[in-house]
Amino acid sequence: MPEGHVIHRLADAIGAAFAGEPVEVTSPQGRFAESAAMLDGTVLTSAQAWGKHLVISFDNHHDEHLLHIHLGLIGKLVVGLAVPVVGQVRLRITDGVKAADLRGPQTCTLINDDEWVEIMADIGPDPIRGDADPEIGWQKVRRSSRRISDLLLDQTIAAGVGNIYRAEVLFRHRIDPETPGKQVSHSTWVAIWNDLVILMRAGVKTGRIDTVQPQHTPEAMGRPPRVDRHGGEVYVYRRENQPCLVCGTPVKMALQGGRHLFWCPRCQRRHH
């Protein structure tokens, strides 16, 4: 499932490609045909991301003028030149030159303003957004007996954080992933949040997740660059049994809540 910075990049790409223009909206696959017909020929006004949710606004006479998309585990949204449709495209937005093709989303629905308000009520603060309030997430963390590694994946606490960011931010702050949320201090939560803001906003700019400090880059350490389809230089994610870049201890991996968790058992001992 894409992490939040990917969804923000898609919102930016759609806005840059189509905002202020009338667009053709179709459903080549047919599963979104009725709703697509309601949007076809209207002006795409804006696109925004909130966590892992993407909402695209259209200027039309229908009450349902917001396109709500959640990619889920297998969804793909590609913005580029308007080439002939290939494969099962649920939705295509195009101006004849550029196109956005959506495949396999978890959610692709046309909604109204009230429905979007209801959806937002279940989404937590997004570190990439300027209007995010980390105290909303903190109030849930401080009362919880759940592990901090589980809490960071709770989209009502920190929207957009996925498996990579949670593993890396816990390493960067030397926190044991098993630590209950109620043992985490407020100052530590603020430090985690501020770090997520920096890392995730950088991801929006670069399109990759880089979490290592300058002294731990391949150039500084004289090591080969990381080769992984996710890209970016990281401390622990998908580095199980490899030496920790800081202390040399083999990185651990465990299945936790259906997701793979990565951590350094020597560096990550903090419980507060």
Side-chain angles (χ1 to χ4, degrees):
M1 183 182 295
E3 310 240 354
H5 74 286
V6 174
I7 310 304
H8 279 267
R9 284 176 63 84
L10 288 171
D12 291 346
I14 289 171
F18 306 115
E21 296 183 21
V23 290
E24 176 185 337
V25 183
T26 59
S27 180
Q29 181 192 59
R31 293 183 59 185
F32 192 66
E34 183 177 346
S35 295
M38 296 170 64
L39 299 176
D40 190 32
T42 63
V43 173
L44 190 156
T45 56
S46 65
Q48 67 164 315
W50 195 315
K52 298 185 180 184
H53 298 257
L54 173 65
V55 64
I56 305 171
S57 179
F58 296 82
D59 183 11
N60 65 17
H61 62 277
H62 297 288
D63 187 35
E64 292 82 10
H65 68 107
L66 301 174
L67 177 60
H68 174 223
I69 295 171
H70 191 296
L71 294 180
L73 289 174
I74 63 171
K76 301 289 183 185
L77 179 59
V78 178
V79 182
L81 294 177
V83 299
V85 173
V86 176
Q88 296 294 307
V89 175
R90 179 80 56 87
L91 168 77
R92 166 168 277 206
I93 301 171
T94 181
D95 60 2
V97 177
K98 304 174 293 293
D101 285 347
L102 175 67
R103 295 174 173 84
Q106 173 181 303
T107 302
C108 176
T109 57
L110 198 54
I111 61 175
N112 59 37
D113 291 322
D114 291 339
E115 289 170 318
W116 175 233
V117 169
E118 291 180 9
I119 292 169
M120 285 194 297
D122 292 327
I123 308 174
D126 178 344
I128 298 172
R129 294 179 61 97
D131 57 3
D133 181 1
E135 291 301 303
I136 294 174
W138 164 246
Q139 292 306 317
K140 295 185 177 184
V141 169
R142 64 188 286 266
R143 296 183 175 92
S144 181
S145 297
R146 295 165 61 200
R147 297 171 292 206
I148 186 62
S149 52
D150 289 328
L151 293 171
L152 282 172
L153 292 183
D154 185 333
Q155 297 299 293
T156 69
I157 290 175
V161 174
N163 212 22
I164 306 175
Y165 283 119
R166 70 114 173 220
E168 292 300 303
V169 78
L170 288 175
F171 177 87
R172 283 165 61 95
H173 293 273
R174 304 298 189 263
I175 298 171
D176 185 336
E178 294 288 327
T179 304
K182 61 185 180 181
Q183 289 186 21
V184 175
S185 68
H186 183 258
S187 61
T188 295
W189 172 251
V190 171
I192 289 173
W193 178 270
N194 289 341
D195 209 17
L196 287 170
V197 169
I198 293 170
L199 294 174
M200 296 179 73
R201 290 182 181 178
V204 175
K205 293 180 180 179
T206 66
R208 49 184 270 165
I209 299 177
D210 287 291
T211 63
V212 301
Q213 301 286 357
Q215 64 269 31
H216 299 130
T217 62
E219 297 79 11
M221 299 185 72
R223 60 179 176 84
R226 176 172 177 258
V227 178
D228 188 280
R229 66 185 178 89
H230 288 283
E233 291 294 333
V234 296
Y235 282 108
V236 292
Y237 181 74
R238 286 189 173 175
R239 296 194 65 248
E240 68 272 23
N241 299 322
Q242 297 180 42
C244 172
L245 300 181
V246 174
C247 74
T249 301
V251 172
K252 294 278 191 179
M253 184 272 285
L255 190 63
Q256 184 187 94
R259 306 293 296 275
H260 288 103
L261 175 69
F262 304 86
W263 79 101
C264 173
R266 181 174 182 182
C267 288
Q268 293 178 249
R269 298 180 179 181
R270 287 186 58 202
H271 292 275
H272 56 82

